[in-house]
PDB file of all heavy atoms in Angstrom:
ATOM      1  N   PHE M   1      91.291 102.427  86.937  1.00 96.00           N
ATOM      2  CA  PHE M   1      90.043 102.722  86.238  1.00 96.00           C
ATOM      3  C   PHE M   1      89.768 104.219  86.331  1.00 96.00           C
ATOM      4  O   PHE M   1      89.773 104.794  87.425  1.00 96.00           O
ATOM      5  CB  PHE M   1      88.888 101.934  86.855  1.00 96.00           C
ATOM      6  CG  PHE M   1      88.859 100.484  86.454  1.00 96.00           C
ATOM      7  CD1 PHE M   1      89.724  99.574  87.052  1.00 96.00           C
ATOM      8  CD2 PHE M   1      87.990 100.022  85.472  1.00 96.00           C
ATOM      9  CE1 PHE M   1      89.713  98.238  86.690  1.00 96.00           C
ATOM     10  CE2 PHE M   1      87.976  98.684  85.094  1.00 96.00           C
ATOM     11  CZ  PHE M   1      88.836  97.791  85.699  1.00 96.00           C
ATOM     12  N   TRP M   2      89.488 104.856  85.186  1.00 96.00           N
ATOM     13  CA  TRP M   2      89.369 106.303  85.149  1.00 96.00           C
ATOM     14  C   TRP M   2      88.456 106.745  84.013  1.00 96.00           C
ATOM     15  O   TRP M   2      87.987 105.947  83.214  1.00 96.00           O
ATOM     16  CB  TRP M   2      90.748 106.941  84.992  1.00 96.00           C
ATOM     17  CG  TRP M   2      91.375 106.690  83.640  1.00 96.00           C
ATOM     18  CD1 TRP M   2      91.865 105.503  83.158  1.00 96.00           C
ATOM     19  CD2 TRP M   2      91.549 107.647  82.594  1.00 96.00           C
ATOM     20  NE1 TRP M   2      92.353 105.655  81.887  1.00 96.00           N
ATOM     21  CE2 TRP M   2      92.167 106.968  81.510  1.00 96.00           C
ATOM     22  CE3 TRP M   2      91.257 108.997  82.458  1.00 96.00           C
ATOM     23  CZ2 TRP M   2      92.494 107.601  80.310  1.00 96.00           C
ATOM     24  CZ3 TRP M   2      91.578 109.643  81.271  1.00 96.00           C
ATOM     25  CH2 TRP M   2      92.197 108.932  80.210  1.00 96.00           C
ATOM     26  N   ALA M   3      88.212 108.054  83.955  1.00 95.00           N
ATOM     27  CA  ALA M   3      87.464 108.661  82.853  1.00 95.00           C
ATOM     28  C   ALA M   3      87.917 110.112  82.718  1.00 95.00           C
ATOM     29  O   ALA M   3      88.365 110.726  83.690  1.00 95.00           O
ATOM     30  CB  ALA M   3      85.958 108.609  83.114  1.00 95.00           C
ATOM     31  N   THR M   4      87.795 110.674  81.534  1.00 96.00           N
ATOM     32  CA  THR M   4      88.263 112.038  81.309  1.00 96.00           C
ATOM     33  C   THR M   4      87.428 113.054  82.072  1.00 96.00           C
ATOM     34  O   THR M   4      87.911 114.138  82.413  1.00 96.00           O
ATOM     35  CB  THR M   4      88.212 112.394  79.807  1.00 96.00           C
ATOM     36  OG1 THR M   4      86.857 112.318  79.337  1.00 96.00           O
ATOM     37  CG2 THR M   4      89.074 111.439  78.991  1.00 96.00           C
ATOM     38  N   TRP M   5      86.156 112.736  82.347  1.00 95.00           N
ATOM     39  CA  TRP M   5      85.268 113.682  83.027  1.00 95.00           C
ATOM     40  C   TRP M   5      85.352 113.580  84.551  1.00 95.00           C
ATOM     41  O   TRP M   5      84.675 114.318  85.257  1.00 95.00           O
ATOM     42  CB  TRP M   5      83.823 113.454  82.588  1.00 95.00           C
ATOM     43  CG  TRP M   5      83.415 112.008  82.548  1.00 95.00           C
ATOM     44  CD1 TRP M   5      83.374 111.210  81.444  1.00 95.00           C
ATOM     45  CD2 TRP M   5      83.016 111.194  83.649  1.00 95.00           C
ATOM     46  NE1 TRP M   5      82.976 109.937  81.787  1.00 95.00           N
ATOM     47  CE2 TRP M   5      82.744 109.896  83.139  1.00 95.00           C
ATOM     48  CE3 TRP M   5      82.857 111.413  85.015  1.00 95.00           C
ATOM     49  CZ2 TRP M   5      82.330 108.846  83.949  1.00 95.00           C
ATOM     50  CZ3 TRP M   5      82.437 110.369  85.813  1.00 95.00           C
ATOM     51  CH2 TRP M   5      82.178 109.099  85.274  1.00 95.00           C
ATOM     52  N   CYS M   6      86.176 112.687  85.053  1.00 95.00           N
ATOM     53  CA  CYS M   6      86.300 112.460  86.499  1.00 95.00           C
ATOM     54  C   CYS M   6      87.470 113.283  87.043  1.00 95.00           C
ATOM     55  O   CYS M   6      88.633 113.022  86.710  1.00 95.00           O
ATOM     56  CB  CYS M   6      86.506 110.960  86.743  1.00 95.00           C
ATOM     57  SG  CYS M   6      87.119 110.527  88.376  1.00 95.00           S
ATOM     58  N   GLY M   7      87.158 114.285  87.886  1.00 95.00           N
ATOM     59  CA  GLY M   7      88.188 115.170  88.421  1.00 95.00           C
ATOM     60  C   GLY M   7      89.304 114.459  89.161  1.00 95.00           C
ATOM     61  O   GLY M   7      90.490 114.664  88.860  1.00 95.00           O
ATOM     62  N   PRO M   8      88.998 113.619  90.170  1.00 95.00           N
ATOM     63  CA  PRO M   8      90.062 112.909  90.888  1.00 95.00           C
ATOM     64  C   PRO M   8      90.880 111.996  89.976  1.00 95.00           C
ATOM     65  O   PRO M   8      92.069 111.790  90.224  1.00 95.00           O
ATOM     66  CB  PRO M   8      89.290 112.101  91.939  1.00 95.00           C
ATOM     67  CG  PRO M   8      88.031 112.874  92.152  1.00 95.00           C
ATOM     68  CD  PRO M   8      87.679 113.417  90.810  1.00 95.00           C
ATOM     69  N   CYS M   9      90.252 111.475  88.920  1.00 96.00           N
ATOM     70  CA  CYS M   9      90.994 110.639  87.964  1.00 96.00           C
ATOM     71  C   CYS M   9      92.084 111.465  87.301  1.00 96.00           C
ATOM     72  O   CYS M   9      93.240 111.024  87.171  1.00 96.00           O
ATOM     73  CB  CYS M   9      90.063 110.082  86.890  1.00 96.00           C
ATOM     74  SG  CYS M   9      88.705 109.051  87.484  1.00 96.00           S
ATOM     75  N   ARG M  10      91.724 112.666  86.860  1.00 96.00           N
ATOM     76  CA  ARG M  10      92.702 113.540  86.213  1.00 96.00           C
ATOM     77  C   ARG M  10      93.807 113.945  87.185  1.00 96.00           C
ATOM     78  O   ARG M  10      94.984 114.041  86.808  1.00 96.00           O
ATOM     79  CB  ARG M  10      92.007 114.781  85.647  1.00 96.00           C
ATOM     80  CG  ARG M  10      90.992 114.481  84.546  1.00 96.00           C
ATOM     81  CD  ARG M  10      90.575 115.750  83.825  1.00 96.00           C
ATOM     82  NE  ARG M  10      89.943 116.710  84.719  1.00 96.00           N
ATOM     83  CZ  ARG M  10      88.632 116.765  84.956  1.00 96.00           C
ATOM     84  NH1 ARG M  10      87.816 115.894  84.375  1.00 96.00           N
ATOM     85  NH2 ARG M  10      88.138 117.686  85.769  1.00 96.00           N
ATOM     86  N   GLU M  11      93.436 114.159  88.444  1.00 96.00           N
ATOM     87  CA  GLU M  11      94.404 114.591  89.455  1.00 96.00           C
ATOM     88  C   GLU M  11      95.493 113.544  89.694  1.00 96.00           C
ATOM     89  O   GLU M  11      96.648 113.884  89.946  1.00 96.00           O
ATOM     90  CB  GLU M  11      93.688 114.885  90.774  1.00 96.00           C
ATOM     91  CG  GLU M  11      92.830 116.131  90.765  1.00 96.00           C
ATOM     92  CD  GLU M  11      93.645 117.401  90.697  1.00 96.00           C
ATOM     93  OE1 GLU M  11      94.776 117.401  91.204  1.00 96.00           O
ATOM     94  OE2 GLU M  11      93.158 118.388  90.115  1.00 96.00           O
ATOM     95  N   GLU M  12      95.127 112.253  89.614  1.00 96.00           N
ATOM     96  CA  GLU M  12      96.092 111.217  89.979  1.00 96.00           C
ATOM     97  C   GLU M  12      96.944 110.732  88.807  1.00 96.00           C
ATOM     98  O   GLU M  12      97.910 109.998  89.015  1.00 96.00           O
ATOM     99  CB  GLU M  12      95.384 110.029  90.639  1.00 96.00           C
ATOM    100  CG  GLU M  12      94.507 109.211  89.718  1.00 96.00           C
ATOM    101  CD  GLU M  12      93.788 108.077  90.437  1.00 96.00           C
ATOM    102  OE1 GLU M  12      93.896 107.973  91.669  1.00 96.00           O
ATOM    103  OE2 GLU M  12      93.103 107.291  89.754  1.00 96.00           O
ATOM    104  N   ILE M  13      96.623 111.127  87.589  1.00 97.00           N
ATOM    105  CA  ILE M  13      97.394 110.658  86.429  1.00 97.00           C
ATOM    106  C   ILE M  13      98.868 111.048  86.507  1.00 97.00           C
ATOM    107  O   ILE M  13      99.747 110.209  86.235  1.00 97.00           O
ATOM    108  CB  ILE M  13      96.738 111.132  85.111  1.00 97.00           C
ATOM    109  CG1 ILE M  13      95.462 110.320  84.863  1.00 97.00           C
ATOM    110  CG2 ILE M  13      97.701 110.970  83.928  1.00 97.00           C
ATOM    111  CD1 ILE M  13      94.650 110.773  83.662  1.00 97.00           C
ATOM    112  N   PRO M  14      99.221 112.288  86.878  1.00 97.00           N
ATOM    113  CA  PRO M  14     100.659 112.609  87.021  1.00 97.00           C
ATOM    114  C   PRO M  14     101.359 111.701  88.026  1.00 97.00           C
ATOM    115  O   PRO M  14     102.519 111.315  87.816  1.00 97.00           O
ATOM    116  CB  PRO M  14     100.643 114.075  87.489  1.00 97.00           C
ATOM    117  CG  PRO M  14      99.362 114.622  86.961  1.00 97.00           C
ATOM    118  CD  PRO M  14      98.377 113.497  87.066  1.00 97.00           C
ATOM    119  N   LEU M  15     100.680 111.344  89.111  1.00 98.00           N
ATOM    120  CA  LEU M  15     101.272 110.436  90.093  1.00 98.00           C
ATOM    121  C   LEU M  15     101.511 109.066  89.476  1.00 98.00           C
ATOM    122  O   LEU M  15     102.572 108.460  89.690  1.00 98.00           O
ATOM    123  CB  LEU M  15     100.358 110.307  91.314  1.00 98.00           C
ATOM    124  CG  LEU M  15     100.757 109.240  92.334  1.00 98.00           C
ATOM    125  CD1 LEU M  15     102.138 109.525  92.917  1.00 98.00           C
ATOM    126  CD2 LEU M  15      99.714 109.136  93.446  1.00 98.00           C
ATOM    127  N   LEU M  16     100.566 108.577  88.701  1.00 98.00           N
ATOM    128  CA  LEU M  16     100.722 107.264  88.070  1.00 98.00           C
ATOM    129  C   LEU M  16     101.922 107.261  87.120  1.00 98.00           C
ATOM    130  O   LEU M  16     102.691 106.291  87.071  1.00 98.00           O
ATOM    131  CB  LEU M  16      99.442 106.889  87.323  1.00 98.00           C
ATOM    132  CG  LEU M  16      98.210 106.638  88.196  1.00 98.00           C
ATOM    133  CD1 LEU M  16      96.957 106.498  87.332  1.00 98.00           C
ATOM    134  CD2 LEU M  16      98.389 105.392  89.057  1.00 98.00           C
ATOM    135  N   LYS M  17     102.084 108.331  86.380  1.00 98.00           N
ATOM    136  CA  LYS M  17     103.242 108.444  85.483  1.00 98.00           C
ATOM    137  C   LYS M  17     104.545 108.437  86.279  1.00 98.00           C
ATOM    138  O   LYS M  17     105.524 107.772  85.898  1.00 98.00           O
ATOM    139  CB  LYS M  17     103.127 109.715  84.643  1.00 98.00           C
ATOM    140  CG  LYS M  17     101.977 109.706  83.650  1.00 98.00           C
ATOM    141  CD  LYS M  17     101.754 111.079  83.017  1.00 98.00           C
ATOM    142  CE  LYS M  17     102.941 111.552  82.235  1.00 98.00           C
ATOM    143  NZ  LYS M  17     102.666 112.862  81.564  1.00 98.00           N
ATOM    144  N   THR M  18     104.549 109.162  87.398  1.00 98.00           N
ATOM    145  CA  THR M  18     105.743 109.219  88.241  1.00 98.00           C
ATOM    146  C   THR M  18     106.061 107.855  88.853  1.00 98.00           C
ATOM    147  O   THR M  18     107.223 107.432  88.882  1.00 98.00           O
ATOM    148  CB  THR M  18     105.548 110.255  89.360  1.00 98.00           C
ATOM    149  OG1 THR M  18     105.371 111.552  88.780  1.00 98.00           O
ATOM    150  CG2 THR M  18     106.750 110.278  90.294  1.00 98.00           C
ATOM    151  N   LEU M  19     105.045 107.171  89.341  1.00 98.00           N
ATOM    152  CA  LEU M  19     105.243 105.849  89.953  1.00 98.00           C
ATOM    153  C   LEU M  19     105.843 104.868  88.948  1.00 98.00           C
ATOM    154  O   LEU M  19     106.747 104.093  89.278  1.00 98.00           O
ATOM    155  CB  LEU M  19     103.920 105.309  90.478  1.00 98.00           C
ATOM    156  CG  LEU M  19     103.309 106.041  91.675  1.00 98.00           C
ATOM    157  CD1 LEU M  19     101.913 105.499  91.970  1.00 98.00           C
ATOM    158  CD2 LEU M  19     104.198 105.898  92.912  1.00 98.00           C
ATOM    159  N   ARG M  20     105.344 104.921  87.732  1.00 97.00           N
ATOM    160  CA  ARG M  20     105.853 104.018  86.689  1.00 97.00           C
ATOM    161  C   ARG M  20     107.338 104.269  86.446  1.00 97.00           C
ATOM    162  O   ARG M  20     108.126 103.322  86.286  1.00 97.00           O
ATOM    163  CB  ARG M  20     105.057 104.224  85.404  1.00 97.00           C
ATOM    164  CG  ARG M  20     105.418 103.291  84.259  1.00 97.00           C
ATOM    165  CD  ARG M  20     104.468 103.533  83.107  1.00 97.00           C
ATOM    166  NE  ARG M  20     104.653 102.569  82.035  1.00 97.00           N
ATOM    167  CZ  ARG M  20     105.210 102.858  80.860  1.00 97.00           C
ATOM    168  NH1 ARG M  20     105.659 104.092  80.611  1.00 97.00           N
ATOM    169  NH2 ARG M  20     105.323 101.929  79.929  1.00 97.00           N
ATOM    170  N   ALA M  21     107.736 105.538  86.428  1.00 97.00           N
ATOM    171  CA  ALA M  21     109.144 105.874  86.205  1.00 97.00           C
ATOM    172  C   ALA M  21     109.999 105.519  87.415  1.00 97.00           C
ATOM    173  O   ALA M  21     111.097 104.953  87.273  1.00 97.00           O
ATOM    174  CB  ALA M  21     109.268 107.366  85.888  1.00 97.00           C
ATOM    175  N   GLN M  22     109.512 105.820  88.613  1.00 96.00           N
ATOM    176  CA  GLN M  22     110.285 105.568  89.826  1.00 96.00           C
ATOM    177  C   GLN M  22     110.498 104.081  90.081  1.00 96.00           C
ATOM    178  O   GLN M  22     111.499 103.692  90.691  1.00 96.00           O
ATOM    179  CB  GLN M  22     109.577 106.198  91.023  1.00 96.00           C
ATOM    180  CG  GLN M  22     109.635 107.716  91.069  1.00 96.00           C
ATOM    181  CD  GLN M  22     108.881 108.291  92.247  1.00 96.00           C
ATOM    182  OE1 GLN M  22     108.017 107.623  92.836  1.00 96.00           O
ATOM    183  NE2 GLN M  22     109.184 109.520  92.613  1.00 96.00           N
ATOM    184  N   HIS M  23     109.558 103.257  89.661  1.00 97.00           N
ATOM    185  CA  HIS M  23     109.633 101.819  89.935  1.00 97.00           C
ATOM    186  C   HIS M  23     109.965 101.005  88.683  1.00 97.00           C
ATOM    187  O   HIS M  23     109.621  99.832  88.593  1.00 97.00           O
ATOM    188  CB  HIS M  23     108.316 101.341  90.544  1.00 97.00           C
ATOM    189  CG  HIS M  23     108.048 101.916  91.907  1.00 97.00           C
ATOM    190  ND1 HIS M  23     108.420 101.273  93.070  1.00 97.00           N
ATOM    191  CD2 HIS M  23     107.475 103.088  92.283  1.00 97.00           C
ATOM    192  CE1 HIS M  23     108.070 102.009  94.109  1.00 97.00           C
ATOM    193  NE2 HIS M  23     107.498 103.117  93.661  1.00 97.00           N
ATOM    194  N   ALA M  24     110.644 101.650  87.751  1.00 96.00           N
ATOM    195  CA  ALA M  24     111.037 100.951  86.524  1.00 96.00           C
ATOM    196  C   ALA M  24     111.926  99.755  86.828  1.00 96.00           C
ATOM    197  O   ALA M  24     111.868  98.720  86.141  1.00 96.00           O
ATOM    198  CB  ALA M  24     111.739 101.909  85.575  1.00 96.00           C
ATOM    199  N   GLN M  25     112.761  99.879  87.870  1.00 95.00           N
ATOM    200  CA  GLN M  25     113.654  98.769  88.213  1.00 95.00           C
ATOM    201  C   GLN M  25     112.879  97.544  88.706  1.00 95.00           C
ATOM    202  O   GLN M  25     113.378  96.414  88.628  1.00 95.00           O
ATOM    203  CB  GLN M  25     114.674  99.201  89.284  1.00 95.00           C
ATOM    204  CG  GLN M  25     114.105  99.411  90.677  1.00 95.00           C
ATOM    205  CD  GLN M  25     113.477 100.776  90.863  1.00 95.00           C
ATOM    206  OE1 GLN M  25     113.277 101.516  89.897  1.00 95.00           O
ATOM    207  NE2 GLN M  25     113.181 101.124  92.113  1.00 95.00           N
ATOM    208  N   ASP M  26     111.672  97.772  89.190  1.00 95.00           N
ATOM    209  CA  ASP M  26     110.813  96.657  89.617  1.00 95.00           C
ATOM    210  C   ASP M  26     109.943  96.149  88.474  1.00 95.00           C
ATOM    211  O   ASP M  26     109.155  95.237  88.666  1.00 95.00           O
ATOM    212  CB  ASP M  26     109.909  97.107  90.773  1.00 95.00           C
ATOM    213  CG  ASP M  26     110.697  97.535  91.991  1.00 95.00           C
ATOM    214  OD1 ASP M  26     111.737  96.900  92.272  1.00 95.00           O
ATOM    215  OD2 ASP M  26     110.280  98.504  92.659  1.00 95.00           O
ATOM    216  N   ARG M  27     110.074  96.770  87.311  1.00 96.00           N
ATOM    217  CA  ARG M  27     109.275  96.432  86.123  1.00 96.00           C
ATOM    218  C   ARG M  27     107.789  96.715  86.340  1.00 96.00           C
ATOM    219  O   ARG M  27     106.918  96.079  85.753  1.00 96.00           O
ATOM    220  CB  ARG M  27     109.497  94.975  85.698  1.00 96.00           C
ATOM    221  CG  ARG M  27     110.946  94.634  85.398  1.00 96.00           C
ATOM    222  CD  ARG M  27     111.116  93.221  84.864  1.00 96.00           C
ATOM    223  NE  ARG M  27     110.515  93.055  83.547  1.00 96.00           N
ATOM    224  CZ  ARG M  27     109.488  92.237  83.297  1.00 96.00           C
ATOM    225  NH1 ARG M  27     108.948  91.525  84.265  1.00 96.00           N
ATOM    226  NH2 ARG M  27     108.995  92.132  82.087  1.00 96.00           N
ATOM    227  N   LEU M  28     107.499  97.691  87.208  1.00 98.00           N
ATOM    228  CA  LEU M  28     106.110  98.058  87.439  1.00 98.00           C
ATOM    229  C   LEU M  28     105.479  98.595  86.160  1.00 98.00           C
ATOM    230  O   LEU M  28     106.068  99.417  85.467  1.00 98.00           O
ATOM    231  CB  LEU M  28     106.023  99.138  88.525  1.00 98.00           C
ATOM    232  CG  LEU M  28     104.625  99.736  88.761  1.00 98.00           C
ATOM    233  CD1 LEU M  28     103.712  98.724  89.436  1.00 98.00           C
ATOM    234  CD2 LEU M  28     104.723 101.012  89.600  1.00 98.00           C
ATOM    235  N   GLU M  29     104.279  98.132  85.865  1.00 98.00           N
ATOM    236  CA  GLU M  29     103.523  98.677  84.742  1.00 98.00           C
ATOM    237  C   GLU M  29     102.198  99.226  85.246  1.00 98.00           C
ATOM    238  O   GLU M  29     101.590  98.658  86.165  1.00 98.00           O
ATOM    239  CB  GLU M  29     103.271  97.610  83.673  1.00 98.00           C
ATOM    240  CG  GLU M  29     102.600  98.142  82.418  1.00 98.00           C
ATOM    241  CD  GLU M  29     103.410  99.232  81.718  1.00 98.00           C
ATOM    242  OE1 GLU M  29     103.399 100.383  82.221  1.00 98.00           O
ATOM    243  OE2 GLU M  29     104.047  98.930  80.691  1.00 98.00           O
ATOM    244  N   VAL M  30     101.789 100.331  84.669  1.00 98.00           N
ATOM    245  CA  VAL M  30     100.489 100.934  84.952  1.00 98.00           C
ATOM    246  C   VAL M  30      99.606 100.705  83.737  1.00 98.00           C
ATOM    247  O   VAL M  30     100.020 100.972  82.599  1.00 98.00           O
ATOM    248  CB  VAL M  30     100.615 102.448  85.225  1.00 98.00           C
ATOM    249  CG1 VAL M  30      99.240 103.070  85.441  1.00 98.00           C
ATOM    250  CG2 VAL M  30     101.520 102.701  86.434  1.00 98.00           C
ATOM    251  N   ILE M  31      98.421 100.192  83.956  1.00 98.00           N
ATOM    252  CA  ILE M  31      97.443  99.987  82.882  1.00 98.00           C
ATOM    253  C   ILE M  31      96.229 100.853  83.198  1.00 98.00           C
ATOM    254  O   ILE M  31      95.577 100.667  84.225  1.00 98.00           O
ATOM    255  CB  ILE M  31      96.993  98.513  82.772  1.00 98.00           C
ATOM    256  CG1 ILE M  31      98.196  97.568  82.728  1.00 98.00           C
ATOM    257  CG2 ILE M  31      96.077  98.324  81.560  1.00 98.00           C
ATOM    258  CD1 ILE M  31      99.044  97.709  81.514  1.00 98.00           C
ATOM    259  N   GLY M  32      95.943 101.817  82.335  1.00 97.00           N
ATOM    260  CA  GLY M  32      94.765 102.651  82.535  1.00 97.00           C
ATOM    261  C   GLY M  32      93.581 102.083  81.781  1.00 97.00           C
ATOM    262  O   GLY M  32      93.672 101.872  80.561  1.00 97.00           O
ATOM    263  N   ILE M  33      92.501 101.801  82.472  1.00 96.00           N
ATOM    264  CA  ILE M  33      91.277 101.340  81.816  1.00 96.00           C
ATOM    265  C   ILE M  33      90.292 102.499  81.832  1.00 96.00           C
ATOM    266  O   ILE M  33      89.769 102.880  82.889  1.00 96.00           O
ATOM    267  CB  ILE M  33      90.687 100.097  82.506  1.00 96.00           C
ATOM    268  CG1 ILE M  33      91.678  98.934  82.394  1.00 96.00           C
ATOM    269  CG2 ILE M  33      89.345  99.724  81.882  1.00 96.00           C
ATOM    270  CD1 ILE M  33      91.169  97.615  82.951  1.00 96.00           C
ATOM    271  N   ALA M  34      90.067 103.083  80.670  1.00 96.00           N
ATOM    272  CA  ALA M  34      89.217 104.259  80.552  1.00 96.00           C
ATOM    273  C   ALA M  34      87.776 103.857  80.282  1.00 96.00           C
ATOM    274  O   ALA M  34      87.496 103.178  79.289  1.00 96.00           O
ATOM    275  CB  ALA M  34      89.731 105.160  79.433  1.00 96.00           C
ATOM    276  N   ILE M  35      86.885 104.278  81.154  1.00 94.00           N
ATOM    277  CA  ILE M  35      85.448 104.028  80.963  1.00 94.00           C
ATOM    278  C   ILE M  35      84.881 105.312  80.390  1.00 94.00           C
ATOM    279  O   ILE M  35      84.325 106.159  81.098  1.00 94.00           O
ATOM    280  CB  ILE M  35      84.784 103.622  82.290  1.00 94.00           C
ATOM    281  CG1 ILE M  35      85.525 102.417  82.888  1.00 94.00           C
ATOM    282  CG2 ILE M  35      83.327 103.279  82.086  1.00 94.00           C
ATOM    283  CD1 ILE M  35      84.988 101.951  84.209  1.00 94.00           C
ATOM    284  N   ASP M  36      85.034 105.455  79.076  1.00 93.00           N
ATOM    285  CA  ASP M  36      84.748 106.735  78.441  1.00 93.00           C
ATOM    286  C   ASP M  36      84.712 106.520  76.925  1.00 93.00           C
ATOM    287  O   ASP M  36      85.078 105.443  76.429  1.00 93.00           O
ATOM    288  CB  ASP M  36      85.850 107.732  78.814  1.00 93.00           C
ATOM    289  CG  ASP M  36      85.390 109.170  78.791  1.00 93.00           C
ATOM    290  OD1 ASP M  36      84.388 109.460  78.114  1.00 93.00           O
ATOM    291  OD2 ASP M  36      86.030 110.001  79.450  1.00 93.00           O
ATOM    292  N   ALA M  37      84.311 107.547  76.206  1.00 93.00           N
ATOM    293  CA  ALA M  37      84.284 107.487  74.743  1.00 93.00           C
ATOM    294  C   ALA M  37      85.705 107.486  74.196  1.00 93.00           C
ATOM    295  O   ALA M  37      86.567 108.239  74.674  1.00 93.00           O
ATOM    296  CB  ALA M  37      83.500 108.671  74.191  1.00 93.00           C
TER     297      ALA M  37
END
């Protein structure tokens, strides 16, 4: 759960992208739910 105006949310997005790529063999999926316009 994130929003564009939330600083820590923006900070962790690169990590989420990396985790999804690193754990592709586990079929890990990341779903971002944006509480924003």
Side-chain angles (χ1 to χ4, degrees):
F1 283 78
W2 69 290
T4 61
W5 45 262
C6 164
C9 300
R10 297 193 299 269
E11 289 290 330
E12 69 182 5
I13 287 175
L15 172 61
L16 293 171
K17 293 170 62 177
T18 298
L19 292 173
R20 184 175 187 252
Q22 288 178 340
H23 294 267
Q25 71 277 11
D26 299 323
R27 302 185 67 244
L28 173 71
E29 185 60 284
V30 177
I31 310 294
I33 297 184
I35 305 178
D36 207 338

